[in-house]
Amino acid sequence: MASPRLGFRLAVCLLNVSEARKQDVVETIAKAALCDKPGHSVVAACTEAYNLIDMEQHDGIHPCLGSVDLVPIYPLSECVSLEECGKVAHDIAESLSHDVPDCSMFYFGYADQPHKRSLVQRRKELNWYKRSNLNVNDIKPDVGTTVSPRYGLTGIGASPYVMNCNVTVDTQDLNIGQLIASAVRGANPGGLRGIQAMAFPHEGTVEIACNVESFKDKPPMPMTEESTKYISYYIEGEEHFYFAPISIERQIKKLAASYGVKTVGTALVGFTPEHCKCLAEQAIREGYGAFWRKRKTITM
């Protein structure tokens, strides 16, 4: 879909695959999305990821369940609805089940009808956060009959935009990282609204990995210190908010200092909704699909 300014309407899939160390594998998957068949790019990328990533051989510290771990569809243009994105997610799941018969999927958000269970809720139900306790024989996928040991289980759905903001703390003490992650987690008292956070060891430091979720509840009145921490955008006339990455960084820096350690870097993995929309429009205008080659990881 493309933007009204260009005569199109925009939605985006920020595909999550279970590979981050092998750049050639990641780029091969990205290149597969540049297929000529209209509307087939996500399916082509997923199919390539299933071919290249074997969950029976997978080794990593970040929780995951599938070679393709997540296929989230987000509306970018204000005129694109979450219901439409849910329908797109279903169409992708149907195509994948045809092209890769042994793959299996669960739905979340606006693809999970009529319940619309959130991704966090579905992942908790499936032990995504504690894969070591997972028994694939106990899982009944929404698409597919069983969970393939090679492909694992893929989450596919639609929701308001989610991005990732990772802050690195200069310590090897994972316990400190876990305390900081707990303190910023939105579900906990005093946490940051819309933030899901986990701590991981990372090259002699600890990384606080934050999923930054959008929400509709209006923050406090304008001009307050609290309200300046949020950024807003619209889906079908409804205002949505997310916690500003710079404010996440400041809060984690403050918490780290309380434990006598410093932060040593922040990376925005992916894009803000506004930046994603601008990049998509630019790619369409220029007819250049491999725009990631022009972009480096945003650090703050």
Side-chain angles (χ1 to χ4, degrees):
M1 302 179 187
S3 142
R5 198 165 59 203
L6 303 169
F8 299 98
R9 305 165 69 237
L10 276 173
V12 64
C13 174
L14 301 184
L15 191 67
N16 287 216
V17 299
S18 295
E19 179 56 72
R21 299 169 181 166
K22 300 175 183 176
Q23 184 176 345
D24 59 325
V25 171
V26 176
E27 289 215 351
T28 299
I29 294 167
K31 288 175 185 175
L34 305 178
C35 61
D36 295 330
K37 186 177 178 181
H40 197 72
S41 59
V42 175
V43 174
C46 289
T47 301
E48 192 68 52
Y50 284 133
N51 288 336
L52 295 174
I53 303 170
D54 184 348
M55 292 305 292
E56 292 185 289
Q57 305 299 322
H58 180 268
D59 178 40
I61 60 172
H62 196 284
C64 62
L65 286 179
S67 304
V68 178
D69 202 57
L70 189 64
V71 186
I73 310 298
Y74 307 131
L76 282 186
S77 299
E78 182 180 344
C79 57
V80 175
S81 72
L82 288 160
E83 286 79 9
E84 287 178 278
C85 291
K87 176 62 167 57
V88 169
H90 271 267
D91 290 345
I92 291 170
E94 183 178 346
S95 295
L96 280 174
S97 65
H98 178 268
D99 293 355
V100 189
D102 289 336
C103 73
S104 58
M105 287 158 272
F106 69 88
Y107 290 126
F108 67 90
Y110 280 73
D112 177 41
Q113 298 292 345
H115 309 292
K116 297 181 184 176
R117 287 168 290 183
S118 70
L119 176 60
V120 172
Q121 181 180 348
R122 301 282 1 241
R123 280 176 162 173
K124 285 181 178 177
E125 292 170 354
L126 294 163
N127 264 337
W128 183 87
Y129 298 97
K130 297 179 180 179
R131 193 178 70 176
S132 60
N133 297 333
L134 180 70
N135 184 348
V136 294
N137 296 321
D138 293 338
I139 294 177
K140 295 181 180 178
D142 296 323
V143 179
T145 55
T146 59
V147 177
S148 159
R150 175 183 171 83
Y151 300 141
L153 184 67
T154 297
I156 182 164
S159 74
Y161 201 95
V162 178
M163 62 183 179
N164 303 94
C165 180
N166 299 340
V167 182
T168 304
V169 180
D170 191 14
T171 180
Q172 296 185 35
D173 189 339
L174 185 58
N175 183 57
I176 289 177
Q178 290 170 338
L179 289 170
I180 293 172
S182 179
V184 298
R185 199 170 293 136
N188 294 336
L192 307 181
R193 199 183 315 186
I195 302 300
Q196 304 287 334
M198 301 182 75
F200 301 100
H202 179 70
E203 298 178 353
T205 60
V206 173
E207 184 176 81
I208 313 300
C210 301
N211 277 3
V212 186
E213 299 181 333
S214 301
F215 52 89
K216 287 197 294 185
D217 296 336
K218 193 173 181 63
M221 293 298 290
M223 304 308 294
T224 66
E225 180 183 355
E226 181 72 11
S227 66
T228 60
K229 298 176 182 177
Y230 299 96
I231 300 172
S232 69
Y233 66 99
Y234 289 85
I235 300 174
E236 289 202 304
E238 287 192 297
E239 193 171 17
H240 288 68
F241 303 88
Y242 64 90
F243 214 94
I246 190 67
S247 296
I248 298 170
E249 180 187 41
R250 287 172 180 163
Q251 181 66 4
I252 292 177
K253 185 175 183 178
K254 180 179 177 181
L255 289 163
S258 72
Y259 293 104
V261 297
K262 298 179 180 180
T263 58
V264 290
T266 299
L268 185 61
V269 183
F271 321 89
T272 64
E274 299 83 1
H275 189 206
C276 187
K277 185 170 181 287
C278 288
L279 282 173
E281 290 175 345
Q282 180 184 351
I284 293 168
R285 282 196 302 268
E286 297 179 3
Y288 185 60
F291 65 88
W292 71 84
R293 295 187 184 280
K294 297 182 177 181
R295 178 190 177 274
K296 302 298 182 182
T297 299
I298 297 176
T299 56
M300 297 184 290

